[in-house]
Amino acid sequence: MTTAAPSVTVRVPAKVNVQLAVGGVRPDGFHPLANVFLAVGLYDEVTAAPAPELRITCTGPGADQVPLDRTNLAARAAIALAELHGLAPDVHLHIAKDIPVAGGMAGGSADAAGALLACDALWGTATTTDQLLAICAELGSDVPFSLVGGAALGVGRGEQLTPLAVGGEFHWVFAVADGGLSTPAVYGEFDRLTAGLEVPEPEASETLIAALRTGDATALAAALTNDLQAAALSLRPSLAAALAAGTDAGALAALVSGSGPTTAYLVKDAEAAQRVADALLASGTCAAARPAVAPAPGATVL
Ligand code: C5P
């Protein structure tokens, strides 16, 4: 009998920003945010297995756009964790993608959080949550949230998290666009569109946080905002037709997810989700339409 090599698989959710309030650009190039993250039930899986040297493989939709070298956020996560413990990052990371690539749903951040947790379990390094969160924050503004999941308010550049209560399930549809959008390009377009204007300090909406707490989809729909939406639409005007197709089909509200180009539709229930997903696909305004339920748990070892 042969013993299979040990490996650890971690499942990590996508996110949608139910509020993304963006302030004027800081001297370090980042923007101050009041960012209300909600984890949604679309997942990537990251598997870590022993290997003679660091290796990344990736399968799933959009996998051909994922870098397989040390610039991959999952590779950088493994290197950072190995460094913390004085180890060599000799690991094979396999990423099974289901989160849209460069879609504004934190897919790359999810893979980084998944790689951290998978390597920590594989190497038996028992890293504390605070240490993991510190590495996450260095890797990217959205990575800490991918680790914790649920719902949270992120301030600073989005990495300083306060968990938020969610009082029920929210049903969503996500329309996947053809091709991605670069997050820095969307922030750059935001700067261009707001040049010369007074950009207010970003502030979390108490109304929106209350809607999450009470599980009230209609109230949440009325409170959804994304300050990057105008910039994403400016770079990708065709997204307007997708947003209109979703609201025409009965979505409670439609918005761009994060920096886009994925668009997000909040709906009443699972039945409405299927109806809106079918209508979005039939409209020809998107490449795929995916129902998903929120909140979803953070990175989890399977
Ligand atoms: O933190 P992360 O690496 O995900 O950010 C990617 C890019 O998005 C940054 O280089 C920056 O251009 C932009 N960004 C920003 N303000 C934030 C978060 C991200 O300008 N709060």
Side-chain angles (χ1 to χ4, degrees):
M1 199 178 88
T2 55
T3 312
S7 69
V8 178
T9 297
V10 172
R11 194 180 76 156
V12 206
K15 62 83 184 163
V16 62
N17 307 86
V18 287
Q19 182 188 4
L20 185 46
V22 182
V25 65
R26 309 191 308 206
D28 67 358
F30 286 89
H31 295 72
L33 303 181
N35 188 352
V36 181
F37 293 103
L38 181 63
V40 302
L42 291 179
Y43 301 95
D44 281 359
E45 285 183 10
V46 182
T47 299
E53 59 183 9
L54 180 59
R55 188 160 86 91
I56 309 270
T57 54
C58 184
T59 52
D64 55 328
Q65 299 157 55
V66 175
L68 300 179
D69 59 16
R70 288 177 175 231
T71 63
N72 185 300
L73 219 46
R76 290 177 45 206
I79 292 167
L81 185 71
E83 255 169 27
L84 176 71
H85 296 291
L87 301 171
D90 296 336
V91 65
H92 173 200
L93 294 172
H94 179 71
I95 303 167
K97 285 225 71 83
D98 196 34
I99 303 173
V101 175
M105 297 194 76
S109 300
D111 300 342
L116 264 187
L117 211 56
C119 288
D120 190 47
L122 182 72
W123 296 336
T125 33
T127 314
T128 66
T129 302
D130 281 353
Q131 285 175 314
L132 290 174
L133 284 171
I135 296 176
C136 287
E138 272 177 38
L139 293 169
S141 308
D142 290 349
V143 184
F145 180 72
S146 297
L147 191 70
V148 302
L153 169 65
V155 297
R157 58 183 170 86
E159 87 289 12
Q160 298 162 29
L161 297 180
T162 308
L164 294 174
V166 184
E169 281 194 335
F170 292 101
H171 292 265
W172 293 86
V173 178
F174 295 94
V176 183
D178 268 323
L181 268 178
S182 138
T183 302
V186 176
Y187 275 102
E189 185 66 1
F190 172 88
D191 292 340
R192 199 182 69 77
L193 293 175
T194 56
L197 303 176
E198 185 78 26
V199 182
E201 280 299 306
E203 258 184 72
S205 156
E206 289 307 323
T207 313
L208 177 128
I209 289 171
L212 282 177
R213 192 172 53 237
T214 54
D216 183 338
T218 307
L220 183 63
L224 295 172
T225 55
N226 179 358
D227 286 355
L228 292 182
Q229 178 152 321
L233 283 169
S234 170
L235 295 177
R236 191 71 71 81
S238 60
L239 294 180
L243 294 171
T247 40
D248 286 353
L252 300 171
L255 84 170
V256 170
S257 178
S259 57
T262 303
T263 45
Y265 307 83
L266 182 58
V267 296
K268 197 166 62 104
D269 53 24
E271 210 180 298
Q274 199 50 57
R275 208 169 47 240
V276 169
D278 290 345
L280 280 165
L281 259 191
S283 73
T285 57
C286 62
R290 308 284 310 275
V293 177
T300 308
V301 176
L302 297 181

